[in-house]
Amino acid sequence: MKLTLGVKVLVIVTCTLFSVIIAIVAGLLSHTSGAPVSEAVLCGGGAFAGCMILCLAVLTSLGVL
């Protein structure tokens, strides 16, 4: 699939925003269960990294990126 550079950037930005939303939810769930703020931020960061890697891997395997 041949996509222009602008469309590829838009897809990456969409993946980043989706990963940020997942990270916020993971951090909030971690914090509401009693974890300190530092551990909640660390949990959110891990969720962001995992979600971003998964999104980019799927898009690469589909030939979008």
Side-chain angles (χ1 to χ4, degrees):
M1 180 183 300
K2 291 283 190 174
L3 297 176
T4 62
L5 180 63
V7 174
K8 288 182 180 181
V9 168
L10 186 62
V11 168
I12 291 174
V13 168
T14 304
C15 287
T16 304
L17 290 175
F18 179 72
S19 297
V20 165
I21 291 170
I22 296 297
I24 289 170
V25 170
L28 285 175
L29 286 175
S30 176
H31 183 64
T32 57
S33 68
V37 175
S38 59
E39 289 183 17
V41 170
L42 188 62
C43 179
F48 173 80
C51 186
M52 191 68 179
I53 289 171
L54 185 63
C55 287
L56 292 178
V58 167
L59 290 174
T60 302
S61 68
L62 291 175
V64 175
L65 298 179

